[in-house]
Amino acid sequence: MDFLRPTSWADALDIKSGRPDATPIQGGTDMMVELNFDKGRPSALLDLNPCRELFEYQEIDGKIRIGSGVPYVRIINRLGNQLPGLAQASRTVGSPQIRNRGTVGGNLGGASPAGDAHPALLAGNAVVEVESAARGTRMIPIDDFYIWVRKNALEADELISAVWLPPAEGPQYFSKVGTRNAMVIAVCSFSIALYPSNGTVRTGIGSSGPTPLRAEPAEEFLATQLPWHDPAPLTDRVLREFGTLVSAAAKPIDDVRGTADYRKHALSVLARRTLGWAWTDYLTERKAA
């Protein structure tokens, strides 16, 4: 196995162009596990750690651009107020050591349905910035990014440079179920984001399908049911119907972490809870205003 170490981002793109078989590595929190357990051995590793521009984040034209090398801990500590859903998801990733090394860019590159960042990125309406030496930069809406199990929309010569998200305009929440409380792969996960300006909701489902998913029928249901302009507590009927629609949107399988039926049930509970938390925050904000 070759270990390729570029001197800059431009150099990394050139190397990837000539070696499309090279697997990029930054935090290595997924790749090193696979290597240690002999679950996969790429022909080459492309080390992106010398590309320091990937470790920066900034606000540009009202959106937040997070470099693909920004670790979870910086999202938690620096962007929690602007991107609460993604920050909540980042807090559930592994241990403190993993959060110091792991990145959202790595989650996107691996495209595992169980990746903790994916539901929050879907709910947050993210856009993935990718680049190649030959064609330059391309922007991929998050809804178009996930193709199949561990497969994304990247071309063979492209690398992920950043992910873009609008700052939260309303409450956002993320929640997951695992076999224990910490350092665990999700049995299932769910994220919700409210958009009061246009009266819409976005969702994200993790670890319950071949790819991360949105529960679009559930979103459409809430668009007609939430009393945005005359806020009031939600009825039990609305909460339960939302949970039912989220559960129906999932496409889980039975595996060692849980059964399909359990995942569907758990998602309905997570959906009800996160919607309840988000709507309570919205009511509080409206009263304060």
Side-chain angles (χ1 to χ4, degrees):
M1 180 173 62
D2 297 329
F3 187 77
L4 310 174
R5 190 169 173 84
T7 58
S8 65
W9 177 240
D11 190 25
L13 293 174
D14 285 338
I15 293 173
K16 183 64 171 171
S17 178
R19 289 291 304 270
D21 59 312
T23 299
I25 185 171
Q26 193 134 35
T29 58
D30 284 334
M31 177 55 63
M32 296 311 297
V33 172
E34 293 189 2
L35 289 175
N36 288 338
F37 284 91
D38 204 24
K39 290 186 176 181
R41 188 161 293 273
S43 57
L45 290 178
L46 176 59
D47 180 17
L48 298 180
N49 281 285
C51 309
R52 302 312 296 176
E53 53 266 68
L54 300 182
F55 290 76
E56 301 300 324
Y57 67 88
Q58 56 189 314
E59 189 165 342
I60 303 173
D61 297 330
K63 293 189 176 182
I64 300 172
R65 182 185 185 273
I66 304 172
S68 61
V70 174
Y72 291 112
V73 69
R74 292 192 72 195
I75 294 172
I76 297 166
N77 293 337
R78 306 287 181 84
L79 298 173
N81 290 333
Q82 293 169 289
L83 303 172
L86 184 59
Q88 290 168 24
S90 298
R91 290 189 190 99
T92 73
V93 174
S95 62
Q97 295 92 331
I98 296 298
R99 293 192 290 273
N100 272 294
R101 291 292 298 167
T103 66
V104 173
N107 242 195
L108 288 166
S112 166
D116 291 319
H118 303 313
L121 294 175
L122 282 166
N125 200 19
V127 175
V128 184
E129 178 187 312
V130 304
E131 192 171 349
S132 77
R135 296 181 306 283
T137 300
R138 184 165 66 103
M139 308 297 281
I140 308 174
I142 195 68
D143 291 334
D144 300 328
F145 186 77
Y146 307 109
I147 304 301
W148 192 242
V149 180
R150 292 186 172 273
K151 294 187 181 298
N152 56 42
L154 287 175
E155 299 292 342
D157 64 341
E158 288 180 324
L159 295 170
I160 299 170
S161 49
V163 60
W164 294 69
L165 290 118
E169 65 167 80
Q172 298 181 351
Y173 274 93
F174 170 88
S175 190
K176 81 177 185 182
V177 171
T179 52
R180 57 186 182 184
N181 286 334
M183 296 175 60
V184 65
I185 299 174
V187 174
C188 62
S189 57
F190 183 74
S191 188
I192 188 170
L194 306 188
Y195 295 86
S197 64
N198 58 11
T200 61
V201 174
R202 283 182 65 101
T203 60
I205 297 172
S207 205
S208 293
T211 68
L213 303 164
R214 280 175 59 203
E216 295 187 48
E219 297 171 7
E220 293 165 0
F221 167 74
L222 284 186
T224 66
Q225 297 294 317
L226 294 182
W228 296 101
H229 302 299
D230 188 18
L234 297 180
T235 66
D236 187 63
R237 180 194 67 83
V238 169
L239 292 169
R240 289 192 174 278
E241 180 64 18
F242 178 65
T244 298
L245 290 170
V246 168
S247 174
K251 302 174 182 178
I253 60 171
D254 297 338
D255 64 15
V256 294
R257 296 198 305 276
T259 66
D261 287 343
Y262 175 74
R263 284 183 162 99
K264 280 182 168 286
H265 169 72
L267 280 170
S268 69
V269 175
L270 293 182
R272 294 198 304 270
R273 288 179 179 174
T274 53
L275 173 58
W277 297 333
W279 191 252
T280 297
D281 285 357
Y282 178 69
L283 291 180
T284 302
E285 292 168 5
R286 286 294 299 267
K287 288 179 181 178

